[in-house]
Amino acid sequence: MASRASRAFSFVENTSLRGLAGSCALAGAGVVVSGLVMRQRMLREHPICQTACDQLERSEEVRRWLGAGEVSTGGVVGGYVDIQEGTAAFRIPLGRSADGGAAYAR
């Protein structure tokens, strides 16, 4: 155990401040990206979100409004799930509307 600690200390001791800062920034970025991926998966796999996406993709009214033959709910879903209150709010991308703007369902 002492040899691991001494190797870690010698790494810190022999590495420049810039290298240490870069290593910490890289590790921090990895943690943030992992958290965002897990959050996106949790939102996408929530039963309410899945049901809403299915209904939006099958809706003739949404197709007419978008002016498209097919509705795609792929993309980044925003929102939250409040487990204590039993509520959920989602912002689901629908693609582009007929006027070329981005379309979202809430």
Side-chain angles (χ1 to χ4, degrees):
M1 186 82 169
S3 66
R4 282 191 206 176
S6 65
R7 277 188 277 164
F9 181 71
S10 76
F11 170 76
V12 171
E13 191 176 61
N14 296 329
T15 305
S16 69
L17 186 58
R18 183 180 228 164
L20 287 175
S23 296
C24 290
L26 185 62
V31 169
V32 168
V33 168
S34 297
L36 290 173
V37 168
M38 288 172 55
R39 180 178 183 274
Q40 187 62 207
R41 183 175 293 159
M42 187 234 6
L43 289 173
R44 277 261 174 221
E45 292 176 355
H46 195 277
I48 295 173
C49 184
Q50 289 177 345
T51 302
C53 288
D54 289 344
Q55 289 176 353
L56 288 166
E57 289 173 353
R58 283 189 255 129
S59 172
E60 288 296 325
E61 190 172 323
V62 173
R63 286 190 184 117
R64 265 186 307 226
W65 182 75
L66 289 175
E70 191 171 317
V71 176
S72 172
T73 58
V76 178
V77 172
Y80 66 90
V81 176
D82 187 347
I83 297 170
Q84 291 180 342
E85 296 293 323
T87 60
F90 298 104
R91 183 174 185 249
I92 302 170
L94 297 175
R96 298 278 175 193
S97 63
D99 62 2
Y104 294 92
R106 293 185 183 190

